[in-house]
């Protein structure tokens, strides 16, 4: 019985995995699966406002470090990283969704010039919709008290 439940859980997660590895188009932003092509813009935005300190993500001292980090992130099972793309301006930030069975948890950071524009809320709605369409039933997040 235990093996059967594990098999069903694995099949469920595999189906979710296939659905979540796609680009998500919203009304104002797009979530693209994070790739090496995003590394230069990621590096620039990441270092513009002390995001590393706020998010406790690794210290990335060069675009080369970002390339390596993106490759490592891509290998993490049940973790989905996206570049937040804003029309005209391009890379605006990063969102990550981690899933376990039927639940997900997401985190977001936005570059300095994209903060305070409502893009965090738009990203949150978009990633939640995507996750629910992908087969999750519960989604969580957390925010700093200073976020608005």
């Amino acid at each position: 019985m235990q093996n059967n439940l594990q098999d069903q859980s694995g099949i469920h997660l595999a189906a979710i995995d296939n659905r979540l590895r796609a680009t998500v188009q919203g009304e104002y932003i797009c979530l693209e699966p994070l790739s090496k092509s995003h590394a230069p813009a990621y590096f620039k935005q990441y270092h513009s406002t002390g995001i590393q300190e706020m998010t406790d993500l690794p210290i990335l001292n060069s675009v080369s470090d970002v390339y390596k980090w993106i490759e490592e992130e891509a290998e993490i099972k049940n973790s989905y990283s996206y570049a937040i793309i804003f029309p005209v301006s391009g890379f605006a930030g990063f969102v990550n969704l981690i899933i376990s069975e039927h639940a997900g948890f997401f985190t977001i950071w936005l570059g300095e010039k994209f903060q305070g524009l409502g893009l965090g809320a738009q990203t949150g709605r978009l990633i939640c919709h995507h996750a629910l369409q992908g087969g999750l039933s519960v989604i969580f997040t957390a925010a700093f008290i200073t976020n608005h």
Side-chain angles (χ1 to χ4, degrees), residues 96-111:
N96 177 259
L97 174 68
I98 298 172
I99 64 169
S100 175
E101 307 254 342
H102 67 285
F105 181 85
F106 71 91
T107 58
I108 300 170
W109 66 257
L110 292 166

Side-chain angles (χ1 to χ4, degrees), residues 48-64:
S48 68
T49 57
I51 289 168
Q52 189 277 322
E53 293 85 6
M54 289 189 298
T55 61
D56 201 31
L57 287 167
I59 295 172
L60 302 169
N61 293 314
S62 66
V63 173
S64 179

Side-chain angles (χ1 to χ4, degrees), residues 3 23 27 47 55 71 83-84 87 90 103 105 110 129 131-132 142 148:
N3 283 343
T23 297
E27 187 175 358
H47 285 279
T55 61
E71 286 177 342
I84 302 167
F105 181 85
L110 292 166
H129 179 74
L132 292 170
H148 45 89

